Amino acid sequence: MSCKCGCASCTELCDCQRCSKPETNLLAPPSNRPGLDAIRARVGDYSTFFTDAKRQLSSKESPNLQALGTRDPTDPTIAFLDAWSVAADVLTFYRERLTQEAYLRTATDELSLRELANMVGFKPRPGIAATVHLAYLLDPSAKPVDIDPGAKAQTVPLPGEKMQTFETDEKLTARAEWSQMKPRQSRPPNIDILDALTRPTLRLADPSLFVRPGERVLFMFGMKLSEQVVREVLSAKTNIELGFVELTLKPKDRLVQALIEQRDLVNQLIDIRNKIVEEIRNENPIKEKVVLGKYLLNVLSSYFLGLNASGVLSLLPRSEKPPFSSQIKHLKEVFKVISEARIPDRKGLGVTSTDKVLGSLRNSAKGNQESKGFLLQQADKGLNADGTVRIELAQTMMPVFQDSLYSALRVRTANRISKSAPSVYLLRTIASPFGAVAPEKISNDNGRFLSEEWPLDEADTNAGAAFLDTVVDAITGDSFAIVETPLMSSWKKKEEGKKGVDEVTPERLLRFARVRSTQTVQRGSYNISGKVTKLDLVDADSGDPFSVISESKQRV
């Protein structure tokens, strides 16, 4: 069969230029826009090279080849073009790969990156081998063994991982006594009043403890006024594997923001407390100075027990008269700073300057293991009270201790690490006093029915007794309570068009007390009756009966 072009053995699928429609050049360098992660540099692949070569056989630029009309793949000429197309495909592939390695954005080979960096004088940091801590376990009856440097240890790979080999850097001695020593898995935190007021979380070493949001955590540093801190629980998470419950605590309102500006605010409050305690220590307890001093301590204690700074400012005396004028003025200044602390805008957080980022890149690489091969040893390192060099020094100077020293250390009680570890309690129950939900008292005034508050019953004014509005079995003897009492110190006019009619605005005063005992009693008053829980409250420090009503009536 022949076509209109007159080629010998030409078929209907002829790809010569006379039979084909005019087409653009198949072999053309590709164009690349800026910012690509990969560069296209191949002028063609196997198919484009082979098609273009066959088209050139019938090209007007090669008149001597027009007589070759065959396109049979078994023909030697066509087979030669096919082999050359394969070679051109391979060559352009590797040329494109080399072009990729010539640019920093597209290079993938480490050697290419190093050579590109070397062109601008940059030298990469040297590689650091992985480091691990090895523990050699010996049988109880085994003698001490010296392990030379270079001793190999292999990891136990997980599925899909490869076994890794590690070698020891320095000579060490393995002893059976060390294999039987139990390491400390937790460390009590150093908690002071500042830390108790600001810490975001707290771990309790009891995974079976169930803590609900809204309960309070009591940090007790002592029984005296303002030596207790109360924080509210936001959430609780139990870690069964490590054996603790992690509590997330509600932040103290604006305190952290205020401490960013003045770090010694809490220390100033503690100093004020100590000065007040010192001044009223040897005074007659019925003197006005002692009464005012105890009131100021109660106000300061209210802040530690959960009251915010604005509430404390409303409780402080308006006049700054002796004998505590300087302390009152100082308290107002501190709590004003806390109440006016500005909460930062979260949109502005997380912004880091370029200089800080580039500055961190200049830090040299360091190993993460404290050994002679990575870090410089200090001359006194390990000579502290909890250091291991002291033990080795004692063994060297007194060889008689070689076989008995570690056996004695194995049964020795661990040193107390925490310098300040307060007692921690959970306050789990919130209860209202008896009569809190009682109906108002109705009286008849010449045919007019008037409603008013009930006068306090005598049982509610006795010191040491507090009646709850229902039976609360969760409260037991020898526990602690935070008593919230209203302080009738703020008066304002009712804006109802009636002149001379005042209403009381009670302000909260939080106080700390100890529950000596509880009992269930029958109570009837305020036009209600029923079984309730009676608390026997005493002052946590002195043990005197705790008076709720007398303190709430104080006017300063």
Side-chain angles (χ1 to χ4, degrees), residues 161-172:
E161 296 181 349
K162 294 182 179 181
M163 183 180 299
Q164 304 294 331
T165 302
F166 293 87
E167 297 181 355
T168 55
D169 285 339
E170 48 193 33
K171 183 178 180 180
L172 57 94

Side-chain angles (χ1 to χ4, degrees), residues 226-283:
S226 65
E227 291 185 351
Q228 305 85 28
V229 174
V230 173
R231 297 285 301 280
E232 183 179 348
V233 177
L234 284 180
S235 62
K237 184 178 181 180
T238 303
N239 192 319
I240 301 296
E241 182 179 359
L242 298 180
F244 63 83
V245 176
E246 185 172 31
L247 307 181
T248 301
L249 306 179
K250 182 179 180 179
K252 193 76 173 171
D253 186 33
R254 300 179 183 271
L255 177 59
V256 176
Q257 290 78 17
L259 289 173
I260 296 177
E261 300 178 1
Q262 296 188 29
R263 300 180 60 181
D264 62 338
L265 288 177
V266 176
N267 293 331
Q268 292 182 38
L269 295 178
I270 296 175
D271 292 340
I272 296 173
R273 178 198 65 184
N274 295 337
K275 291 179 180 178
I276 297 175
V277 171
E278 186 66 26
E279 289 193 24
I280 67 175
R281 177 173 298 173
N282 299 321
E283 295 288 343

Side-chain angles (χ1 to χ4, degrees), residues 67 85 97 100 108 113 160 194 248 260 272 317 326 337 351 366 412 455 473 478 488 521 524 537 552:
S85 299
R97 296 309 309 155
Q100 302 274 8
T108 58
L113 294 173
L194 173 61
T248 301
I260 296 177
I272 296 173
S326 61
V337 171
V351 179
K366 295 182 180 180
R412 182 179 180 271
D473 295 329
D478 200 20
M488 312 304 183
V521 298
L537 299 178
S552 66

Side-chain angles (χ1 to χ4, degrees), residues 216-407:
R216 267 67 172 176
V217 178
L218 170 64
F219 299 89
M220 193 163 65
F221 299 90
M223 293 293 186
K224 298 183 181 298
L225 283 174
S226 65
E227 291 185 351
Q228 305 85 28
V229 174
V230 173
R231 297 285 301 280
E232 183 179 348
V233 177
L234 284 180
S235 62
K237 184 178 181 180
T238 303
N239 192 319
I240 301 296
E241 182 179 359
L242 298 180
F244 63 83
V245 176
E246 185 172 31
L247 307 181
T248 301
L249 306 179
K250 182 179 180 179
K252 193 76 173 171
D253 186 33
R254 300 179 183 271
L255 177 59
V256 176
Q257 290 78 17
L259 289 173
I260 296 177
E261 300 178 1
Q262 296 188 29
R263 300 180 60 181
D264 62 338
L265 288 177
V266 176
N267 293 331
Q268 292 182 38
L269 295 178
I270 296 175
D271 292 340
I272 296 173
R273 178 198 65 184
N274 295 337
K275 291 179 180 178
I276 297 175
V277 171
E278 186 66 26
E279 289 193 24
I280 67 175
R281 177 173 298 173
N282 299 321
E283 295 288 343
N284 190 337
I286 63 174
K287 284 188 176 182
E288 182 180 355
K289 179 179 180 180
V290 177
V291 175
L292 178 58
K294 289 185 176 180
Y295 174 77
L296 293 177
L297 292 177
N298 275 310
V299 172
L300 181 57
S301 179
S302 295
Y303 180 72
F304 292 156
L305 296 179
L307 195 62
N308 57 30
S310 300
V312 174
L313 285 173
S314 64
L315 291 174
L316 289 174
R318 293 180 177 84
S319 61
E320 300 173 1
K321 296 181 180 180
F324 296 105
S325 57
S326 61
Q327 287 83 354
I328 295 175
K329 181 179 179 181
H330 197 176
L331 285 173
K332 289 182 178 180
E333 293 174 353
V334 172
F335 285 111
K336 184 178 180 180
V337 171
I338 298 176
S339 62
E340 296 178 353
R342 185 177 63 88
I343 299 178
D345 186 7
R346 293 186 176 272
K347 295 182 180 179
L349 299 179
V351 179
T352 305
S353 64
T354 306
D355 293 336
K356 291 184 179 181
V357 176
L358 296 179
S360 62
L361 298 178
R362 301 189 185 99
N363 298 332
S364 59
K366 295 182 180 180
N368 59 356
Q369 184 179 5
E370 295 183 0
S371 63
K372 297 177 181 178
F374 293 96
L375 299 178
L376 297 177
Q377 298 280 339
Q378 296 181 357
D380 59 346
K381 186 174 181 61
L383 293 176
N384 299 326
D386 56 350
T388 57
V389 178
R390 304 180 85 184
I391 300 175
E392 298 177 2
L393 185 62
Q395 280 189 307
T396 304
M397 298 179 64
M398 292 172 285
V400 69
F401 288 160
Q402 287 286 344
D403 299 326
S404 59
L405 181 59
Y406 285 103
S407 299

Side-chain angles (χ1 to χ4, degrees), residues 3-274:
C3 63
K4 61 183 178 180
C5 68
C7 298
S9 302
C10 188
T11 65
E12 59 182 2
L13 300 178
C14 180
D15 56 359
C16 65
Q17 290 187 355
R18 283 179 292 180
C19 295
S20 304
K21 295 181 180 180
E23 296 182 5
T24 58
N25 189 9
L26 297 178
L27 302 179
S31 60
N32 296 277
R33 62 176 178 82
L36 295 176
D37 294 332
I39 298 177
R40 295 187 300 113
R42 302 181 67 178
V43 296
D45 54 11
Y46 166 76
S47 61
T48 55
F49 280 122
F50 191 44
T51 301
D52 186 76
K54 290 189 296 181
R55 289 179 58 190
Q56 295 297 329
L57 292 177
S58 55
S59 174
K60 294 180 180 181
E61 299 177 358
S62 304
N64 297 330
L65 298 177
Q66 293 183 2
L68 182 63
T70 181
R71 298 295 184 266
D72 187 4
T74 60
D75 183 80
T77 303
I78 303 302
F80 176 78
L81 294 178
D82 180 75
W84 174 248
S85 299
V86 173
D89 179 67
V90 175
L91 289 174
T92 54
F93 171 79
Y94 283 106
R95 178 183 179 276
E96 184 179 67
R97 296 309 309 155
L98 292 174
T99 304
Q100 302 274 8
E101 300 300 320
Y103 297 93
L104 185 62
R105 179 184 291 273
T106 58
T108 58
D109 187 72
E110 181 182 355
L111 180 60
S112 301
L113 294 173
R114 288 181 178 272
E115 291 179 350
L116 289 172
N118 190 41
M119 294 176 65
V120 295
F122 177 79
K123 294 182 179 180
R125 297 174 180 176
I128 300 176
T131 57
V132 295
H133 295 279
L134 295 177
Y136 290 91
L137 303 180
L138 276 66
D139 294 334
S141 59
K143 296 182 179 180
V145 178
D146 292 332
I147 300 175
D148 297 327
K152 296 183 179 181
Q154 293 180 331
T155 62
V156 179
L158 297 174
E161 296 181 349
K162 294 182 179 181
M163 183 180 299
Q164 304 294 331
T165 302
F166 293 87
E167 297 181 355
T168 55
D169 285 339
E170 48 193 33
K171 183 178 180 180
L172 57 94
T173 302
R175 305 182 66 92
E177 294 85 354
W178 295 347
S179 301
Q180 300 176 22
M181 295 174 63
K182 295 183 179 181
R184 184 192 298 271
Q185 297 182 352
S186 62
R187 175 177 295 184
N190 293 326
I191 301 179
D192 53 12
I193 292 183
L194 173 61
D195 184 79
L197 288 170
T198 57
R199 66 168 31 246
T201 59
L202 177 68
R203 291 182 177 181
L204 303 180
D206 186 359
S208 62
L209 191 63
F210 179 71
V211 183
R212 295 181 296 270
E215 295 181 346
R216 267 67 172 176
V217 178
L218 170 64
F219 299 89
M220 193 163 65
F221 299 90
M223 293 293 186
K224 298 183 181 298
L225 283 174
S226 65
E227 291 185 351
Q228 305 85 28
V229 174
V230 173
R231 297 285 301 280
E232 183 179 348
V233 177
L234 284 180
S235 62
K237 184 178 181 180
T238 303
N239 192 319
I240 301 296
E241 182 179 359
L242 298 180
F244 63 83
V245 176
E246 185 172 31
L247 307 181
T248 301
L249 306 179
K250 182 179 180 179
K252 193 76 173 171
D253 186 33
R254 300 179 183 271
L255 177 59
V256 176
Q257 290 78 17
L259 289 173
I260 296 177
E261 300 178 1
Q262 296 188 29
R263 300 180 60 181
D264 62 338
L265 288 177
V266 176
N267 293 331
Q268 292 182 38
L269 295 178
I270 296 175
D271 292 340
I272 296 173
R273 178 198 65 184
N274 295 337

